[in-house]
Amino acid sequence: MTFRQEALRFASKADFPGFLTICDKAIAEHANDPDQLLDIGALLLHFGFLTKARQCFEQVRAIAPNDLRPVVNLANIAREAGEHAQASRLYQSLLKALPDNPVIRRNALVSQEYDPSVSDVQRLQAAKQWGEWAIGRAGGLRPRPTMQPLKNRPLRVGYVSADFCQHTVGLFVKDVLKRHDPQRITAFAYSAGQVDDWVTKQIRNVTQFRDVTKLDDQKLADLIRQDAIDVLVDLSGHTAGSRLTTFAHRPAPVMVSWLGYFATTGLSCMDAVLLDPWHAPQGMEQNFVERIIHLPNGRFCYQPVSFAPEVAPLPCLSKGYVTFDSFNNTAKYNPDVFRLWADILLFAPNSRLVLKWRTFHDDALRNSVLGFFEQQGVDPGRIELRGPSFHADMLAQYADIDIALDPFPFNGGLTSCEALWMGVPVVTWPQSRVVGRQTFAFLSAIGLSELAADTTEDYVRIAVDLANNHNRLNTLRTTMRERMKASPLMDLQGFTRQLEQTLIGLYREIQTKQ
């Protein structure tokens, strides 16, 4: 059994002391082997042990100072820890050294979405530079391929993603793919991911499924052309595993960005991005290269996982105090978020706050977070930091939570939907970025836009008023699922017909202009 297999065996049982023992042993055995240390560090990072992972990567830098691979990982660690200024410095140094590296380029773009100090203008400019680079790399801007008439045939739609698995994108898209009307849409799934699980199986069963993990951009573009795709839909943007560079080859007549990304792709040949009036109000078009098309009932359609537990009783009624939470990625946190949450705790003096993410395995990060709240005057004993758990177990932990607090400028996505499904209201503060308006969109769709703040003071007021109104909390708790089921957010049939009509309409519109 290899080191990785043995370590994953312990991790699969949530035996993290055993996992660390295996990793420590491997580090000692391979102290002078950069490749092995990088592999060990990557595994430690994946499971949230930031400090140990950082030590591995720094060790590689010491023994191989010209190797830039550990710097990439150190930048990722900085982002995961919410150290956005450090992440930015590392990414910029990497871009200077490796300007044609696709992974570094996309990581740098994604990192900006988490960083509150980066302006909308800067983000747009960086994306445009990426688009110019990608098109140049693909041999220059190409003409639109010939469009075939839709007479008496369905539209051939290709979805491209590295996340056709138990991932936010896979969980959102799988049921839409199942509901496609075969008389209107023939769906292809181009899978660039390494994970093959129960979600992958469901998607494979309802699409023309293509495993494209081993294809380079040119070969993937050739395959898309062979499949005679009419509309090619990118579901990844610049996130991990993205194949967006293939779109620069213009392998389909119409190309669209949807679902898996939260900003402009930067590609001038991308015809449209599918958003909605809540994510993209008037004026948002100035932040996009693509034309914005509104899906009137929302850009997401939420369907809960089958193993979600029943809604638990409101915990504050038995505990005697209110518990706030955020189960979001720690990359979404920054000092402004924590300061605002500290204010809420101070104005609701008997309340608690639970934060949960895999990186809270890391003692240094835990101490940093607790120390920050203490500096704001909050007793660290009121803060509980929880590490990772299996999906079903994570959902069950909402039994401890009364109110969820949304980070900014990067809001919760699936996290917010799941909190709501478990009966937990989410307080949010919409921002100027699409990714900073996700929870606002969900709340608007289910008729709870009053939980969205206009200012920091409003955010604190909404959270504290909720904490002081147990009757309101209990009503929300017991009626939330029915509210969601009756809303556009969970109208799977309506959403899928809307998506189909949008894609067909866009194809016909562009065809008439040729």
Side-chain angles (χ1 to χ4, degrees):
M1 185 180 296
T2 65
F3 145 73
R4 176 173 281 272
Q5 290 171 330
E6 192 172 4
L8 288 173
R9 182 170 63 85
F10 280 99
S12 68
K13 297 184 294 184
D15 180 357
F16 290 107
F19 169 83
L20 288 176
T21 298
I22 295 299
C23 290
D24 287 341
K25 179 181 177 183
I27 291 170
E29 290 176 353
H30 302 286
N32 294 304
D33 186 332
D35 290 336
Q36 288 291 337
L37 288 172
L38 286 167
D39 189 39
I40 298 165
L43 203 57
L44 286 162
L45 174 57
H46 178 77
F47 287 103
F49 295 97
L50 303 185
T51 301
K52 282 185 172 292
R54 184 182 284 113
Q55 290 168 353
C56 279
F57 301 137
E58 292 291 5
Q59 194 166 332
V60 174
R61 293 184 78 183
I63 60 179
N66 295 323
D67 191 338
L68 293 179
R69 291 176 297 171
V71 184
V72 176
N73 285 286
L74 289 168
N76 293 339
I77 287 175
R79 185 180 72 197
E80 288 285 300
E83 298 167 356
H84 300 300
Q86 173 67 359
S88 177
R89 285 192 292 271
L90 290 171
Y91 284 129
Q92 291 307 310
S93 68
L94 286 164
L95 284 171
K96 289 180 181 178
L98 298 170
D100 289 321
N101 185 292
V103 174
I104 292 171
R105 277 186 165 269
R106 71 174 182 238
N107 283 1
L109 286 174
V110 171
S111 183
Q112 289 187 338
E113 294 298 318
Y114 294 91
D115 190 343
S117 71
V118 180
S119 70
D120 293 341
V121 171
Q122 289 172 312
R123 290 165 46 249
L124 176 62
Q125 185 59 35
K128 284 182 175 180
Q129 290 172 355
W130 181 92
E132 293 169 359
W133 166 82
I135 288 172
R137 190 169 179 258
L141 192 62
R142 304 182 184 206
R144 188 185 303 278
T146 302
M147 302 179 73
Q148 301 301 322
L150 278 184
K151 186 178 180 181
N152 299 322
R153 72 173 182 87
L155 188 75
R156 296 169 73 85
V157 179
Y159 295 95
V160 185
S161 179
D163 301 313
F164 289 131
C165 58
Q166 191 174 335
H167 175 280
T168 299
V169 169
L171 291 171
F172 269 125
V173 80
K174 65 180 176 62
D175 294 299
V176 173
L177 295 176
K178 290 179 191 176
R179 295 304 194 285
H180 268 320
D181 181 351
Q183 299 301 313
R184 306 182 83 197
I185 300 289
T186 299
F188 291 73
Y190 297 94
S191 177
Q194 303 294 328
V195 178
D196 192 324
D197 60 17
W198 65 277
V199 174
T200 316
K201 181 178 179 181
Q202 290 189 17
I203 293 173
R204 185 183 286 112
N205 288 341
V206 297
T207 62
Q208 301 288 325
F209 192 86
R210 308 281 192 254
D211 181 349
V212 301
T213 53
K214 296 181 181 178
L215 300 184
D216 62 20
D217 287 347
Q218 185 61 63
K219 290 181 179 177
L220 175 53
D222 289 343
L223 176 60
I224 292 165
R225 294 186 184 104
Q226 290 167 19
D227 286 335
I229 296 300
D230 298 308
V231 178
L232 192 65
V233 182
D234 174 62
L235 301 177
S236 295
H238 296 288
T239 61
S242 167
R243 298 306 303 268
L244 192 56
T245 45
T246 301
F247 284 66
H249 291 256
R250 208 161 190 170
V254 177
M255 301 193 302
V256 173
S257 172
W258 173 56
L259 185 62
Y261 198 52
F262 23 76
T264 182
T265 62
L267 270 180
S268 60
C269 57
M270 192 71 80
D271 292 293
V273 56
L274 305 185
L275 296 170
D276 59 48
W278 302 305
H279 280 94
Q282 187 174 3
M284 186 65 78
E285 60 275 2
Q286 67 187 7
N287 297 328
F288 281 81
V289 169
E290 307 88 343
R291 167 190 174 189
I292 293 176
I293 295 180
H294 283 159
L295 299 174
N297 293 328
R299 71 182 288 245
F300 296 118
C301 183
Y302 173 65
Q303 298 295 296
V305 290
S306 60
F307 49 79
E310 292 301 312
V311 174
L314 186 68
C316 67
L317 297 181
S318 58
K319 293 183 177 180
Y321 58 84
V322 163
T323 303
F324 297 99
D325 94 295
S326 174
F327 287 2
N328 280 280
N329 181 350
T330 50
K332 298 181 181 182
Y333 299 150
N334 58 70
D336 289 340
V337 171
F338 283 161
R339 271 191 286 269
L340 204 58
W341 291 356
D343 287 345
I344 291 169
L345 292 172
L346 293 172
F347 279 105
N350 294 319
S351 60
R352 306 288 190 275
L353 174 64
V354 175
L355 303 180
K356 178 179 174 62
W357 191 250
R358 63 174 176 267
T359 47
F360 287 125
H361 265 155
D362 188 78
D363 289 339
L365 181 63
R366 290 170 60 87
N367 292 335
S368 173
V369 170
L370 293 175
F372 188 95
F373 277 97
E374 188 171 23
Q375 289 173 8
Q376 304 304 307
V378 176
D379 181 353
R382 297 171 63 191
I383 312 295
E384 183 181 354
L385 306 178
R386 299 181 183 178
S389 55
F390 296 112
H391 197 166
D393 296 330
M394 180 273 290
L395 292 174
Q397 291 186 33
Y398 280 109
D400 301 332
I401 307 303
D402 298 289
I403 303 167
L405 301 176
D406 206 23
F408 53 86
F410 201 132
N411 293 172
L414 181 61
T415 304
S416 293
C417 287
E418 290 188 331
L420 293 167
W421 184 248
M422 297 309 300
V424 178
V426 187
V427 180
T428 191
W429 180 26
Q431 307 284 296
S432 64
R433 311 177 187 194
V434 166
V435 79
R437 304 181 65 83
Q438 294 186 125
T439 302
F440 169 67
F442 305 147
L443 292 172
S444 298
I446 66 174
L448 285 175
S449 59
E450 66 268 23
L451 298 181
D454 294 322
T455 63
T456 54
E457 293 80 10
D458 201 28
Y459 188 108
V460 173
R461 178 192 60 78
I462 293 169
V464 174
D465 284 353
L466 267 181
N468 291 329
N469 192 339
H470 292 186
N471 287 335
R472 170 71 167 149
L473 283 175
N474 200 43
T475 299
L476 288 172
R477 188 85 169 195
T478 55
T479 62
M480 191 73 80
R481 285 196 176 180
E482 291 308 311
R483 177 190 287 272
M484 293 176 73
K485 289 176 184 178
S487 76
L489 182 61
M490 291 185 65
D491 179 7
L492 183 58
Q493 188 77 1
F495 179 87
T496 307
R497 296 292 86 79
Q498 164 189 272
L499 176 65
E500 291 171 351
Q501 190 56 47
T502 299
L503 296 178
I504 292 169
L506 177 62
Y507 186 85
R508 285 179 168 155
E509 176 192 329
I510 292 174
Q511 190 174 37
T512 60
K513 294 178 180 178
Q514 277 200 312

